[in-house]
Amino acid sequence: MAKPPPSMEQYYVGVDVGTASVRAALVARDGLVKATAEEPVRIWQPAPDRYVQSSDDIWDRCCRAIRRVTQGVEKSQVRGMGFDATCSLVVLDKHFQPVAINQDGVQEQNVMMWMDHRASEQAAHITSTGHQALRRVGGVMSPEMQPPKLLWLKENLRETCWKQAAHFFDLPDFLSWKATGSLERSLCTLVCKWTYCPQEGWDTSFWEAIGLEDLLTDNCSKIGALTCCPGTSLGEGLSAQAAAETQLKTGTAVAASLIDAHAGGLGVIGADVKGLSLPCEDQPMTSRMAVVCGTSSCHMGISQQPLYVPGVWGPYFSVMVPGLWLNEGGQSATGKLIDFMVEGHAAFPQLKILAEKRFVWVYSYLNRHLETMAGDSGHLGTLAASLHVWPDFHGNRSPLADPTLRGMVVGLTLSRTVDDLALLYLATVQSIALGTRHILDTMQETGHDIRTLFLCGGLSKNALFVQTHADVTGLPVALPFQTEAVLVGAAVLGACASRDYSSIQVKKKSAISAFAAANQNKSKMEYSL
């Protein structure tokens, strides 16, 4: 696609498909976000631990969001587009039509979401094989990865789904296929969620050992015969059909995608922090950890050499930052857990009324309420000293790697006041931060040298969440000046695909430079922005 005249601004579109919504951003060459849009996506929960979506609904919402952020812009100014998404499983037939993944046979419900844990028994079975491929996922197969989900479909829906399915996509790859028609899969998805090895390809012995040898036929076409690095320009760019749906130009560059957490990591981990007096300044990028925190949280640590961390996914080579190895820890429910605890409390209706009267977010109200409860002492963190939360309500992803674990609360009283709700909220946030500390300590013990946390995602906009992570880990926390770091990371892919930049790293350095630091030694929630 021809470049616009030098006098015209050039833009890149980043699309982020999260758990409950699609977001898009129009990003300029300097990394500044010019416009954003958000569209909700449908979620069905047909049974406990089952979460289902529709790929048609998701794509429709992507197109709507893209149209909204690019309205009023000359289409020739949009140079490239990148997608990121949750690592959910999309099932299509030989005609690329949805295949139902539930016993009720509703065709549009063809996406098994990342947080769907129906395949926990299959995950345990795969772990029991002790196959060498498990070494790259911390030694334990998670039900949030694709092999156990695939095995569940074969064992439980053989006739209605398994035999009808011709294409199994990770959601990020489905989006890039939908935009371009290219069946190339991103190494980010295949390596991190499917056990693919870039050097050796698909390990046939693994798929045979777990009873999914039928996926190896026809050069593994059902799960991905062609692979490429994230940011690679796919096919001929935006297809005619996708161009009509997004109202962009046919041929606009579209990049091989990333998992959403990896896009967030890409969006923050390479930032210029000179002058902020952070311990990672003038140190290699390996001294940083990106914590992408939203519905769940992912903890991304990179290294020059492969490091094997028990209960932590990886090491994966070049799946986020080219040339570096990635270890990915995580917590399966963080933002979702906070919402669950707060909204389920008897005082929540009263809290909503109080927050609405002050025209503030309920969590902003709770944060201020806790400061009032702490008074002049400033010891906000000790208010919940007698209340304790074990946060694994949806299992433990890392480092215990046990999806069967469940949460608990110790220290409850008969109180049902807003004060009581605020303390439960505080204890929940602290428990999540302690989970991060557990992951961090485990990674440090195996060779990582992490000196600064870089937070992004929805929870990074919560001051208490950020400060608590600094307090509990003893590390400074850096926050992006551009708060939509995940969207910027997706846009970086589009910029790379457009060939306006020679690599992801070059674009990354130019896109994000301004950060604010949260000092772990501050007694109150104070920030210099």
Side-chain angles (χ1 to χ4, degrees):
M1 187 172 69
K3 283 190 176 184
S7 59
M8 295 181 67
E9 179 67 273
Q10 297 178 16
Y11 299 107
Y12 310 94
V13 173
V15 181
D16 166 47
V17 179
T19 299
S21 69
V22 169
R23 299 183 307 141
L26 186 70
V27 182
R29 285 177 63 91
D30 59 6
L32 295 179
V33 176
K34 298 298 185 179
T36 61
E38 184 170 6
E39 294 281 342
V41 292
R42 296 188 65 184
I43 299 174
W44 292 270
Q45 189 176 0
D49 279 343
R50 296 192 186 186
Y51 297 90
V52 180
Q53 292 178 316
S54 161
S55 62
D56 285 346
D57 176 58
I58 291 171
W59 178 248
D60 177 66
R61 299 295 175 167
C62 286
C63 294
R64 291 188 191 190
I66 292 167
R67 292 195 299 267
R68 287 173 59 190
V69 297
T70 57
Q71 62 183 355
V73 173
E74 287 290 334
K75 305 314 176 188
S76 61
Q77 294 178 263
V78 179
R79 298 281 302 146
M81 183 187 310
F83 292 92
D84 73 75
T86 63
C87 49
S88 300
L89 179 67
V90 182
V91 185
L92 304 178
D93 66 15
K94 63 182 180 180
H95 302 296
F96 295 96
Q97 296 303 306
V99 177
I101 58 168
N102 289 316
Q103 282 90 343
D104 55 19
V106 180
Q107 185 180 5
E108 68 170 330
Q109 297 178 18
N110 70 317
V111 179
M112 192 183 301
M113 293 183 66
W114 66 269
M115 61 184 183
D116 188 308
H117 279 195
R118 74 179 75 179
S120 292
E121 290 185 9
Q122 287 74 17
H125 165 69
I126 294 171
T127 298
S128 72
T129 66
H131 195 278
Q132 61 182 3
L134 297 172
R135 189 166 180 242
R136 298 192 295 272
V137 295
V140 179
M141 177 57 65
S142 167
E144 295 176 13
M145 291 188 172
Q146 308 305 3
K149 287 178 163 61
L150 292 165
L151 186 56
W152 188 94
L153 291 174
K154 181 176 181 179
E155 291 178 350
N156 293 274
L157 298 177
R158 181 183 293 267
E159 297 299 324
T160 59
C161 176
W162 189 253
K163 290 185 177 181
Q164 304 303 317
H167 303 279
F168 296 103
F169 285 100
D170 218 285
L171 182 54
D173 291 320
F174 166 80
L175 296 172
S176 58
W177 164 75
K178 197 69 173 164
T180 65
S182 172
L183 288 172
E184 283 189 274
R185 312 292 181 99
S186 170
L187 286 174
C188 177
T189 58
L190 292 192
V191 172
C192 296
K193 305 301 175 187
W194 299 68
T195 74
Y196 184 85
C197 180
Q199 294 83 11
E200 302 168 8
W202 293 109
D203 186 336
T204 57
S205 67
F206 170 75
W207 297 95
E208 290 167 351
I210 67 174
L212 291 177
E213 62 281 352
D214 36 349
L215 293 177
L216 302 173
T217 60
D218 194 21
N219 194 29
C220 305
S221 62
K222 287 187 176 182
I223 56 176
L226 303 172
T227 65
C228 61
C229 293
T232 300
S233 183
L234 293 175
E236 300 297 322
L238 201 63
S239 69
Q241 180 176 340
E245 293 168 334
T246 59
Q247 295 179 7
L248 294 177
K249 291 189 68 172
T250 301
T252 300
V254 177
S257 54
L258 282 172
I259 299 166
D260 54 351
H262 299 66
L266 179 66
V268 298
I269 206 165
D272 181 359
V273 295
K274 288 183 179 178
L276 292 177
S277 301
L278 292 171
C280 66
E281 188 173 345
D282 299 322
Q283 296 296 315
M285 203 184 305
T286 53
S287 66
R288 308 174 178 198
M289 171 183 276
V291 183
V292 186
C293 40
T295 302
S296 62
S297 291
C298 296
H299 304 71
M300 324 292 279
I302 53 178
S303 58
Q304 295 283 354
Q305 301 298 325
L307 298 175
Y308 293 88
V309 185
V312 173
W313 298 342
Y316 304 132
F317 185 65
S318 281
V319 297
M320 186 174 79
V321 180
L324 295 177
W325 295 84
L326 172 71
N327 285 107
E328 180 186 350
Q331 295 162 290
S332 295
T334 50
K336 187 173 182 64
L337 176 62
I338 293 171
D339 289 343
F340 175 81
M341 299 293 265
V342 171
E343 294 172 7
H345 195 279
F348 181 66
Q350 182 184 357
L351 170 65
K352 283 186 66 178
I353 293 171
L354 291 170
E356 288 169 1
K357 284 182 178 179
R358 296 194 180 184
F359 303 100
V360 296
W361 186 36
V362 289
Y363 294 112
S364 297
Y365 184 92
L366 283 173
N367 292 349
R368 293 175 186 174
H369 190 75
L370 286 166
E371 289 184 325
T372 301
M373 292 176 67
D376 295 334
S377 71
H379 299 307
L380 188 154
T382 62
L383 290 174
S386 61
L387 188 62
H388 308 284
V389 175
W390 182 262
D392 295 330
F393 283 56
H394 200 51
N396 183 285
R397 187 188 298 169
S398 306
L400 302 180
D402 186 349
T404 68
L405 286 179
R406 292 297 177 260
M408 62 180 174
V409 182
V410 177
L412 290 173
T413 70
L414 294 175
S415 173
R416 299 198 297 178
T417 65
V418 171
D419 282 2
D420 178 61
L421 170 52
L423 294 178
L424 181 61
Y425 161 63
L426 173 62
T428 303
V429 171
Q430 290 174 335
S431 73
I432 293 168
L434 286 164
T436 292
R437 171 74 177 269
H438 194 187
I439 293 167
L440 181 65
D441 288 349
T442 304
M443 292 177 68
Q444 302 278 49
E445 289 168 3
T446 53
H448 283 276
D449 181 21
I450 296 163
R451 305 183 185 186
T452 307
L453 302 182
F454 288 70
L455 265 63
C456 66
L459 287 176
S460 69
K461 301 170 186 177
N462 183 326
L464 177 68
F465 186 89
V466 173
Q467 187 64 54
T468 303
H469 272 69
D471 293 340
V472 170
T473 64
L475 295 177
V477 174
L479 300 175
F481 181 74
Q482 285 288 324
T483 58
E484 301 295 352
V486 178
L487 285 169
V488 172
V492 166
L493 297 175
C496 186
S498 73
R499 298 186 174 86
D500 291 344
Y501 295 86
S502 58
S503 72
I504 284 177
Q505 286 175 307
V506 170
K507 174 58 184 167
K508 182 174 46 163
K509 289 180 179 178
S510 68
I512 305 169
S513 59
F515 271 72
N519 187 330
Q520 73 272 18
N521 295 319
K522 292 181 179 179
S523 60
K524 294 185 178 181
M525 294 179 291
E526 300 169 356
Y527 300 88
S528 299
L529 297 179

